[in-house]
Amino acid sequence: MVKAHFPRGLTHWIMMMIWLVLLSLFCKSTQEENSQEHGYLNCGPQNVTLLHSGQMILLWEDQPSCSAVRDVLIYELVVFRAGQQVNYDEVAVTPDQIESTHYRIWTSFLDLEGASNSVRLRSRYNNHTSPWKEQTFPGKQTLKVPEIFPKDKWFMVGSTVTFYCILPSTEAFSTMYLNTGEQPSTTKINNQTYALTVYLNRASKNTCDHVKCETKTNNNNGACVYIGYPPHYRDLQCETRDLKSVECQWTVRGDTDLPFKEPKAPQLLGSPCLMLSKGRCSQKVEKVDVGERNWTLTAQNEFGMVELSDTADLSKRVHMFAPNGVKVSTVNARSVTLQWNLAKPQYNNLNITCQVRMSFGEISIIGIGLNSTVLNDLIPNWTYNATLRCGSTQHFWKWSEWSKKVFFRTYGEVPDALDVWMHMEGNHTKIIWKMPQAKQSHGHIEHYEVTWRKTTENHNQNSTKVAFNKQSLSLSLTRTKEYIVTVTARNINGSSPPSTITIPSLNPAGHRVKTSRIIGSNGGFNFSWSASPAASCGYIVDWCPTSGNHTEDWLKLPPNETYAKVFSRNFTDGRRYSLSLYACTQGAPLLLERREGYVTEKSIKEGLFKSMKGKQQDSNFEVSWDLISLAEQTAFIQGYVLYCSDNNNSVISFSTDDPAATSLKARNLKMGFYKFTMKAQTAVGECGATFITAILNSPTDNLIGAVLIPLLTIFGLLSLTIMLCFRHWACIKQKVFPPIPKPMLTSMGEHGCHLLHVDQCHHSEVHIMDVLELQCSEETPTNGYVCKENILFVFANTPKGYYNQPQKKYPPEPLTTTTTELPSLKGLPSSPFGSVFSNPTYNLNIKPGDQLSSSFPELQERKSLQRSMDGYQPQDLTETFNINPTEEDPGKPMSCVFTYVLLPQSLSK
Amino acid sequence: MAARRTRRITGPDVSRSTVARAARIAELLQYECSILLELYREKESFTADILVDGRLVSVPPPSSQLDTRDKLWRLHSALLQCRSLLDRAIAREEEELGGGKKGDYETQRKVVKDRLSYLLISTGELLKTAGGPALLTPNLEGLEIDGPTTLFELKLWVHRIFKEVDYWTKMAITTLEALPSVIAKESMMTTRVRSTRSARR
């Protein structure tokens, strides 16, 4: 058996501890009892009122400490008349009735008209009684108007309150109500006393509410009651700002602490806390570093009290004040020294973290009693503002407020290297660079300097200066050579580092890249590509409108990036852009890819198809148009569609997927009227509608047309000819059927030979075969006919026909009449020409009345001819053609005078 | 060239214009006071039966025997008492019933107070013109200037004061409208007497 043995000292120590624990438990219990006792010992009546209205009414309330009572509270009431006790009463108040108004009414034993009455009352609870309170009722005082109790009191929302109305002895009760809405019925206590119990469900607005009591004689009165909330404070948080005091803040909920009275000054740990602002108060503390403890705040208004608490170790809740005296001490191009003062000397021993906020971001710095720092990586020639805030590094709680801003400007420096690119067009190479921004120029740019040389020549270098406001230079370079171009910018501090670009030589056999499409998104292009081993120093993406003015822009990317978000403020919807991807190499940039696309495709305007025309081919109809320019293509054209609608509004369509097509054929159409509408197919729908109309005819119709039109033309021409012939029949007849004079042989007179007239209108080609030589005796200009004076026309037979030749100055030769027989005219018996020449017998009798002769009025003018023809006189020698000249129509367009004389071969007298 | 004659503004002209101005202010005040009463009744949910009338201002009774100066003095004195009562009512309201949100009622209350002050300045000028005392202090004797002790009674008292201001504003309009003819008569009589005297000379 094993026994445990404890040393004697230890046993005594354990016993002592047990006793101590028991003692402390006893003390605690006693203390609690005492505190509770202390609570209700102060309990007693307050606001005691004694009224007289044909009865004696005593009203009173419980003191606030009575709320500690957990059992029935007894009030002892003693009535005295003329100094003698006449009555003793006890009123029992249950815990739920505490803090309401209590009353007692006496009616039977009082001499209200005589000596004065007084009432004493006190509370009794657990053998503890409160001091007596006495109210004396002076005699002969009666109520004139109804009295309402309680009046001018403050009640919490949600409480139930009983109001009493005590009427003058002569008045009869009418009604009693609270002006807050629904009213319960009143309770009659006796003839002069009525009670209204109301549940107060809402707060008063702006002013107190009224309880009104009205009598039947309209002798009315009222009382004010305030209904509201105790201060609604929450979220208490305590901290220290100066390491010498505690500062607590809380949130105040809305306006529920209204109406009327602001809460009284709150108390922190039972002592007044100085209000700094709404929801903030401060209290001095002896030491901050006392570890964690409870911070309890109490606040109350007329409606009640609120208690908030927060557990905090103030040394871990240091909320510093903002640093002050911030200034810049040393300024360079890219760095400055910033200095400041800490707001409290107590902060000097703290490990502090400060944060500096400048125009371009924030930086954090740490140190004990920190009061300066160097700001690096600043932009030269740049204005900054800086502000800072600090907090304790150890047990960081909150940042201080930001300090006041300090402004400073860094010194200038040479410009940053330019971003240079090139654009080749024909034989010209344009060197372009981006205008340096203010934070890149580091001062005003004076000018740019561009130098270039062939890669094969190290010394033969050209150079030129470009004005500060330009950002490009066009060079005429030999395209078969590679060039190195260098651009620098210069400001007051010097030249920027050089930016170099190699201009590739034009190699006709060089590689070409295909152009593919790219779809825009969100106002730009998301351009991605496959990595290229050639891109040793990255990629360049450049873009410009595919047609029109070239405003080139570019983007340079590192080698590891194969994606670029291309965006420009100049991008417009419905305009096609070309994007080119170059590999940045040690030499000239290498074109890798080319894309074309729209940021957003737009519907093409109507009337896209310029010069649209159609052509029928049997039952087909082909519509053709001019090639569509890029500027008009506000979207990619994927094909074309032709709609053919006839008079019955039935529509058939024909389409092509070839965007380069310039014609489209509609097949197997019926004959009739058609409206042809041509549209372009795009991603945004069919657009650019242009239409023409046409009537389609059948091939038979066309054949008829083809035959009829020439026939009609011929007919018309013939009619015209006939008409002309008819009009000029006389002339024609004269030509064709010349009047054959009677044979008259006369000898040549002394006048010599007169060559007789012949039709000299040399425009007409009359077949006059073997015509005698004629002499024009007289000519008259007539319509369309020219008769030349003294011009001898010889009608010569030419291989190709006959033509007129003017022949002058030939001496007149005797007319020789050759034979009348014309071989060529043989066999033309019916021809008028034939008849002319087949009648050489001169046996024709022409009389004056003859139509033929009448057509030649001029004949009478002719000179008499003496014909000598031996042995042959077929006609009377004296017979002449005489026509009265008065019969001549002066307006007749053509007037020819013919005198034909047949001259014999040999004349003898 | 015909020169334009300029006419100097004489004493009676000044009175007439001052009277007209005072009457105009009183009319405005009466309008503003009616709005104030309406707002107050609405705010306090007062019905007519609970409200008691009865004069708070104490001045001698009106009489046809009173001359212009006395009538003006009586009016001015009543208005002065009104302003004192109004000041007190506003102070007590703020002190015991205030603290809530400021709204139309509070704005209108200030408008009425300011307008009453303007009216007092105008009637003071008229009284001075009519030969009355240059400075008149309100007689607050017998005036319920402190008001009642309970809040409900305080509200009724405030209402009575507003009613009193309203009443005396109407009285001011009546009195001032009656004044110009009297002044004109007196002015004419004075002129006639002077012309008679100068004719005798």
Side-chain angles (χ1 to χ4, degrees):
Chain A
M1 190 174 169
V2 180
K3 271 191 175 179
H5 293 280
F6 292 101
R8 183 172 289 177
L10 183 63
T11 311
H12 286 169
W13 185 82
I14 291 170
M15 289 298 290
M16 207 160 73
M17 286 303 291
I18 291 169
W19 276 110
L20 277 172
V21 168
L22 287 173
L23 189 66
S24 65
L25 284 173
F26 174 76
C27 287
K28 192 171 187 321
S29 165
T30 313
Q31 198 176 358
E32 279 178 3
E33 277 180 21
N34 282 341
S35 68
Q36 199 176 355
E37 197 173 286
H38 269 288
Y40 65 71
L41 278 180
N42 294 325
C43 174
Q46 65 174 10
N47 298 330
V48 183
T49 310
L50 193 59
L51 293 167
H52 167 222
S53 173
Q55 57 193 352
M56 192 168 76
I57 303 153
L58 182 74
L59 294 127
W60 74 96
E61 294 168 6
D62 308 305
Q63 285 180 344
S65 54
C66 298
S67 58
V69 172
R70 298 283 175 264
D71 206 347
V72 175
L73 177 69
I74 306 293
Y75 279 102
E76 298 174 357
L77 291 84
V78 183
V79 182
F80 293 90
R81 190 173 66 198
Q84 297 294 316
Q85 180 178 337
V86 291
N87 190 41
Y88 173 83
D89 271 330
E90 283 189 355
V91 174
V93 176
T94 54
D96 59 310
Q97 293 173 328
I98 286 172
E99 289 190 340
S100 62
T101 304
H102 316 293
Y103 68 94
R104 176 76 174 91
I105 301 168
W106 295 274
T107 52
S108 56
F109 54 88
L110 295 174
D111 178 10
L112 296 169
E113 301 298 324
S116 66
N117 300 286
S118 65
V119 180
R120 283 186 192 173
L121 83 161
R122 70 177 181 183
S123 67
R124 190 182 75 233
Y125 180 70
N126 282 353
N127 297 324
H128 291 282
T129 53
S130 69
W132 287 104
K133 283 211 170 184
E134 186 173 332
Q135 284 285 310
T136 302
F137 188 83
K140 295 186 180 180
Q141 281 196 3
T142 54
L143 292 175
K144 291 176 183 171
V145 290
E147 281 289 338
I148 296 150
F149 293 94
K151 62 174 73 172
D152 301 347
K153 295 291 177 189
W154 304 70
F155 297 104
M156 272 176 62
V157 173
S159 56
T160 302
V161 180
T162 302
F163 297 97
Y164 299 95
C165 175
I166 299 150
L167 302 172
S169 54
T170 53
E171 294 284 353
F173 179 77
S174 172
T175 183
M176 187 179 178
Y177 59 90
L178 180 68
N179 68 333
T180 56
E182 194 180 333
Q183 300 299 327
S185 58
T186 48
T187 309
K188 180 180 177 182
I189 293 170
N190 59 41
N191 281 343
Q192 252 55 55
T193 310
Y194 290 83
L196 175 74
T197 303
V198 190
Y199 174 72
L200 307 174
N201 59 353
R202 65 150 182 85
S204 304
K205 290 175 183 172
N206 296 325
T207 184
C208 58
D209 287 304
H210 307 148
V211 180
K212 288 180 188 167
C213 186
E214 297 176 5
T215 66
K216 289 193 173 166
T217 56
N218 227 7
N219 186 9
N220 306 330
N221 201 1
C224 256
V225 285
Y226 290 110
I227 308 162
Y229 299 91
H232 195 104
Y233 294 169
R234 57 192 168 94
D235 304 332
L236 181 74
Q237 196 176 69
C238 295
E239 62 191 15
T240 181
R241 303 212 65 175
D242 56 2
L243 303 170
K244 283 183 173 177
S245 63
V246 59
E247 194 175 306
C248 294
Q249 57 185 4
W250 58 93
T251 51
V252 180
R253 193 184 78 180
D255 56 355
T256 49
D257 56 337
L258 290 176
F260 327 122
K261 301 284 184 185
E262 281 291 311
K264 292 166 189 169
Q267 293 204 320
L268 187 63
L269 302 175
S271 304
C273 190
L274 180 68
M275 286 299 290
L276 302 171
S277 62
K278 190 176 182 182
R280 264 178 72 219
C281 74
S282 170
Q283 195 180 67
K284 291 279 176 197
V285 289
E286 286 181 9
K287 278 180 76 178
V288 167
D289 195 10
V290 291
E292 196 171 84
R293 61 167 297 179
N294 250 356
W295 301 93
T296 305
L297 181 103
T298 53
Q300 72 173 70
N301 64 6
E302 282 76 359
F303 297 108
M305 189 178 75
V306 66
E307 188 174 288
L308 305 172
S309 65
D310 180 31
T311 306
D313 178 355
L314 290 184
S315 64
K316 295 176 181 175
R317 287 194 177 181
V318 181
H319 182 193
M320 294 175 71
F321 287 107
N324 53 39
V326 185
K327 62 182 179 184
V328 173
S329 57
T330 311
V331 180
N332 297 307
R334 292 181 185 269
S335 67
V336 295
T337 303
L338 196 67
Q339 288 184 324
W340 62 90
N341 301 321
L342 294 174
K344 299 285 176 189
Q346 299 89 294
Y347 297 159
N348 290 334
N349 298 324
L350 282 179
N351 192 1
I352 294 170
T353 299
C354 289
Q355 200 173 47
V356 181
R357 187 170 67 185
M358 289 185 298
S359 321
F360 289 95
E362 289 178 356
I363 57 162
S364 290
I365 40 175
I366 298 171
I368 294 173
L370 198 65
N371 61 3
S372 74
T373 187
V374 177
L375 305 173
N376 291 310
D377 301 325
L378 303 180
I379 301 164
N381 193 45
W382 198 255
T383 301
Y384 285 91
N385 63 64
T387 176
L388 80 154
R389 61 183 181 179
C390 298
S392 57
T393 308
Q394 198 180 12
H395 311 299
F396 179 83
W397 168 239
K398 279 178 187 174
W399 285 113
S400 70
E401 294 82 12
W402 288 103
S403 71
K404 283 186 180 174
K405 281 181 182 174
V406 60
F407 291 83
F408 61 90
R409 188 175 182 85
T410 51
Y411 293 149
E413 209 179 47
V414 297
D416 286 349
L418 293 168
D419 185 358
V420 178
W421 186 232
M422 48 128 196
H423 177 71
M424 289 183 289
E425 201 170 282
N427 285 329
H428 288 275
T429 302
K430 196 173 179 184
I431 308 299
I432 45 180
W433 56 90
K434 287 184 180 168
M435 195 75 83
Q437 295 173 1
K439 61 181 176 183
Q440 296 168 324
S441 63
H442 308 156
H444 174 67
I445 298 289
E446 292 173 344
H447 62 261
Y448 301 97
E449 190 164 344
V450 182
T451 58
W452 65 99
R453 63 175 173 81
K454 288 173 189 165
T455 49
T456 51
E457 298 172 2
N458 286 332
H459 50 275
N460 198 3
Q461 187 164 285
N462 300 294
S463 175
T464 187
K465 283 181 182 175
V466 179
F468 70 93
N469 54 352
K470 305 281 184 195
Q471 53 187 124
S472 66
L473 178 70
S474 283
L475 299 174
S476 291
L477 304 176
T478 309
R479 295 302 307 274
T480 52
K481 300 284 181 186
E482 231 179 44
Y483 283 82
I484 290 178
V485 181
T486 303
V487 188
T488 55
R490 187 176 180 83
N491 68 9
I492 195 167
N493 302 300
S495 288
S496 68
S499 301
T500 303
I501 185 166
T502 306
I503 311 297
S505 61
L506 186 67
N507 184 2
H511 84 288
R512 289 174 184 275
V513 292
K514 270 189 174 179
T515 302
S516 56
R517 287 187 182 178
I518 186 166
I519 297 168
S521 66
N522 300 325
F525 296 100
N526 294 324
F527 193 1
S528 59
W529 58 89
S530 308
S532 166
S536 59
C537 54
Y539 298 93
I540 302 113
V541 177
D542 79 357
W543 62 91
C544 63
T546 308
S547 63
N549 291 333
H550 285 237
T551 48
E552 193 125 350
D553 206 352
W554 68 93
L555 196 64
K556 288 182 177 173
L557 298 149
N560 57 344
E561 284 193 20
T562 55
Y563 168 82
K565 167 91 183 155
V566 178
F567 179 80
S568 168
R569 279 185 299 176
N570 297 326
F571 280 155
T572 49
D573 292 343
R575 189 166 195 188
R576 193 182 292 186
Y577 290 93
S578 295
L579 291 89
S580 306
L581 174 71
Y582 291 86
C584 171
T585 67
Q586 294 307 314
L590 179 67
L591 179 63
L592 298 176
E593 232 180 300
R594 183 160 281 164
R595 302 274 189 97
E596 277 186 5
Y598 296 86
V599 172
T600 309
E601 290 185 77
K602 274 173 71 179
S603 182
I604 301 173
K605 286 180 187 171
E606 286 193 356
L608 170 70
F609 302 92
K610 301 283 184 293
S611 308
M612 191 167 103
K613 51 184 180 273
K615 185 181 170 188
Q616 184 184 353
Q617 295 167 345
D618 298 333
S619 61
N620 303 334
F621 191 84
E622 189 181 53
V623 175
S624 60
W625 60 90
D626 289 350
L627 201 64
I628 295 164
S629 70
L630 269 180
E632 286 173 312
Q633 295 183 35
T634 55
F636 280 119
I637 293 176
Q638 297 163 346
Y640 302 97
V641 62
L642 174 65
Y643 293 97
C644 316
S645 58
D646 59 12
N647 274 335
N648 300 327
N649 286 330
S650 64
V651 179
I652 47 174
S653 65
F654 301 89
S655 62
T656 175
D657 294 334
D658 179 12
T662 54
S663 67
L664 185 57
K665 190 178 281 183
R667 296 176 188 280
N668 301 324
L669 299 177
K670 291 175 183 171
M671 298 304 116
F673 174 83
Y674 274 94
K675 180 181 177 182
F676 297 95
T677 306
M678 194 73 210
K679 289 183 178 178
Q681 292 173 317
T682 67
V684 289
E686 292 177 356
C687 45
T690 311
F691 71 89
I692 55 169
T693 56
I695 298 169
L696 268 62
N697 297 315
S698 68
T700 318
D701 294 342
N702 290 338
L703 189 64
I704 290 168
V707 172
L708 271 181
I709 290 166
L711 278 175
L712 284 171
T713 311
I714 291 165
F715 178 76
L717 284 170
L718 276 173
S719 303
L720 189 67
T721 311
I722 289 165
M723 197 178 73
L724 283 171
C725 288
F726 180 74
R727 284 197 68 168
H728 303 294
W729 177 244
C731 186
I732 295 165
K733 192 178 176 184
Q734 190 64 33
K735 280 185 177 180
V736 177
F737 302 106
I740 303 168
K742 289 177 180 176
M744 187 170 63
L745 294 171
T746 50
S747 59
M748 292 286 285
E750 56 184 323
H751 302 294
C753 177
H754 290 279
L755 290 178
L756 300 179
H757 291 128
V758 75
D759 189 3
Q760 291 181 352
C761 303
H762 45 80
H763 72 278
S764 71
E765 292 180 6
V766 182
H767 294 227
I768 302 172
M769 311 297 292
D770 300 328
V771 177
L772 307 177
E773 285 182 355
L774 302 172
Q775 187 179 15
C776 188
S777 62
E778 189 180 345
E779 62 98 1
T780 308
T782 54
N783 252 356
Y785 297 86
V786 178
C787 298
K788 296 264 182 174
E789 192 179 13
N790 298 326
I791 296 176
L792 181 69
F793 290 88
V794 174
F795 298 94
N797 197 356
T798 65
K800 286 183 181 178
Y802 304 96
Y803 63 90
N804 304 335
Q805 279 184 330
Q807 195 167 354
K808 293 180 180 177
K809 296 178 182 176
Y810 286 108
E813 287 179 11
L815 278 173
T816 306
T817 307
T818 57
T819 69
T820 57
E821 192 167 342
L822 193 65
S824 62
L825 291 175
K826 278 182 179 174
L828 291 172
S830 59
S831 166
F833 297 95
S835 65
V836 169
F837 294 103
S838 62
N839 187 17
T841 58
Y842 304 102
N843 54 356
L844 182 63
N845 294 321
I846 300 171
K847 295 176 180 174
D850 194 331
Q851 193 178 354
L852 274 173
S853 61
S854 65
S855 302
F856 304 101
E858 291 82 2
L859 286 177
Q860 64 175 347
E861 297 293 323
R862 68 177 174 85
K863 295 178 179 177
S864 63
L865 294 172
Q866 287 187 340
R867 298 170 185 144
S868 63
M869 206 159 180
D870 287 339
Y872 182 66
Q873 287 183 338
Q875 290 178 355
D876 187 4
L877 283 172
T878 58
E879 187 177 352
T880 54
F881 294 102
N882 292 321
I883 296 169
N884 190 353
T886 57
E887 290 178 11
E888 183 185 354
D889 183 2
K892 204 168 182 178
M894 186 166 64
S895 176
C896 294
V897 178
F898 292 162
T899 302
Y900 291 89
V901 177
L902 183 61
L903 298 175
Q905 291 248 339
S906 60
L907 293 172
S908 61
K909 279 192 178 177
Chain B
M1 196 175 95
R4 181 177 289 179
R5 281 187 182 178
T6 53
R7 189 168 62 89
R8 286 188 63 195
I9 298 170
T10 56
D13 290 324
V14 172
S15 297
R16 269 196 290 274
S17 64
T18 314
V19 166
R21 194 177 68 213
R24 178 74 188 126
I25 294 171
E27 281 167 7
L28 272 174
L29 177 59
Q30 204 260 316
Y31 171 71
E32 287 158 357
C33 210
S34 66
I35 294 173
L36 178 66
L37 275 165
E38 198 175 315
L39 286 170
Y40 189 69
R41 283 174 195 153
E42 190 183 322
K43 172 176 170 272
E44 299 297 350
S45 313
F46 276 161
T47 49
D49 59 317
I50 200 93
L51 302 171
V52 235
D53 281 335
R55 298 274 73 84
L56 288 169
V57 166
S58 168
V59 286
S63 166
S64 57
Q65 303 298 316
L66 295 176
D67 61 6
T68 303
R69 191 192 65 181
D70 292 341
K71 280 180 184 170
L72 279 171
W73 179 85
R74 182 174 175 272
L75 175 66
H76 189 68
S77 175
L79 291 173
L80 271 173
Q81 291 180 55
C82 280
R83 191 176 65 179
S84 299
L85 286 166
L86 190 60
D87 286 346
R88 185 66 191 140
I90 291 170
R92 294 254 347 236
E93 262 203 308
E94 284 297 310
E95 185 184 330
E96 294 176 48
L97 299 165
K101 288 175 183 172
K102 303 294 177 214
D104 292 344
Y105 163 71
E106 284 77 10
T107 310
Q108 190 66 20
R109 195 175 62 182
K110 188 175 182 312
V111 167
V112 167
K113 185 188 164 187
D114 293 345
R115 190 77 65 199
L116 180 58
S117 299
Y118 294 141
L119 182 59
L120 272 167
I121 292 166
S122 293
T123 52
E125 281 178 19
L126 281 173
L127 184 60
K128 196 176 163 187
T129 310
L135 185 65
L136 199 68
T137 48
N139 179 14
L140 304 178
E141 198 178 327
L143 213 59
E144 295 176 45
I145 196 76
D146 288 332
T149 50
T150 70
L151 292 176
F152 189 77
E153 285 163 359
L154 174 66
K155 288 186 172 186
L156 296 179
W157 179 70
V158 169
H159 184 263
R160 281 179 69 192
I161 289 171
F162 291 162
K163 288 282 284 180
E164 196 72 353
V165 175
D166 185 55
Y167 171 79
W168 280 105
T169 307
K170 286 173 185 165
M171 291 301 295
I173 296 167
T174 314
T175 309
L176 292 168
E177 279 176 352
L179 279 182
S181 57
V182 175
I183 289 176
K185 277 177 191 171
E186 286 175 0
S187 171
M188 281 169 67
M189 283 170 68
T190 314
T191 315
R192 203 178 299 149
V193 170
R194 279 178 189 162
S195 58
T196 313
R197 282 177 187 168
S198 56
R200 282 176 186 169
R201 283 174 194 170

